Amino acid sequence: MQKTKKQILGIAGLLAVGVMTTIACSLPAPDAAAIDASSAGDVNINVNIQEGNTRIQLVKPLDGSAFVDSSIEVSSNYEDASKLEYYLSYTKDDGTEEEVNVRNQFVQSGTSGTDTFTLDLNPYGYRKLKLRAVAYGAGSTTREDSVAFDYSAIIANFQGIDKNGDPILNTEVSEKVEQVRVQVYDKNGKPLFVNANGQEEPVLLNRSAIDPATGKNIISALPFGKYGAAPGEYTAVISAYDASSNIISMVTLDTKYAIETPDTPNTGSTLFGNLNISRLDYLLTGLIAFGIAAGFAVYLVQRKNRR
């Protein structure tokens, strides 16, 4: 009886294995299923188009720079480009915005290099300007860079003080400037450079005080001390005039003025004047000397009493 059960179980197991094998053979292969599925409808294929490494960077002029010369050098580094374009934008006197195409340059497609040219600023007048450079690459790719700078008839800044404590003013002017006028005002708006009658007499720098080679002023220290300036904060207004005495540019700068305190004469004893001894050292030395003298006096009194 036990043997018969084992035979029946063995036959059942064989039948189960056969059924599972039959089912597995009837299933389609994964590749075949994919092919059948693709034949049942459309297949969407996504294609990524590479934009390349198109790039452009403005090297000159520097962002935030200032110029008094009307002709400036523009330079840019580019990569993987076929065309370069440059645009100059600014705000007109009537408040409207203007952008002008100042250069178009074709280069060998996909190449890298440096593009340099001279830009004339005369047509745009003294004002803040913005230069924008655009590089065109493959597949309608564009990259751009921009810088902002000032075009002015005068550049001015304070750099330290002279031996009298007067602030040193450095200026640089364009070839159109014939005279520079400088007046300084205190925090209440009162002019500093006035004569005995209260009339303003600003510092005037004519062409004779301007270096023709560099455009920089030769006379630079403003006479704060001469006009009795009090210590405090001041604002300098520097105006540039043309040959017809018309003001063509103006700069305002803040500065501080401090009167140096003179050395107090030494009216005390000179016995220890040249010694490197502090007041504390004097005090400690005095206390020690007093202690020694007091101790010696006590010793003498006690000795006398013993006698």
Side-chain angles (χ1 to χ4, degrees), residues 16 25 50 52 62 65 73 106 117-119 130 142 195 204 268:
C25 292
Q50 299 296 329
L62 295 176
S65 56
E73 181 181 351
F106 289 93
F117 65 97
T118 299
L119 177 61
K130 180 180 179 181
T142 60
N195 58 26
L204 299 177

Side-chain angles (χ1 to χ4, degrees), residues 31-61:
D31 293 341
I35 295 174
D36 291 341
S38 64
S39 61
D42 296 333
V43 177
N44 295 325
I45 301 175
N46 295 325
V47 178
N48 294 325
I49 300 176
Q50 299 296 329
E51 293 186 347
N53 296 316
T54 303
R55 186 182 70 90
I56 190 167
Q57 179 184 18
L58 280 166
V59 180
K60 293 180 180 180

Side-chain angles (χ1 to χ4, degrees), residues 2 51 53 84 100-101 122 134 162 180 198 202 237 239 257:
Q2 193 74 15
E51 293 186 347
N53 296 316
L84 309 176
V100 181
N101 177 223
N122 268 323
V134 184
D162 69 355
V180 175
V237 178
S239 306
Y257 180 66

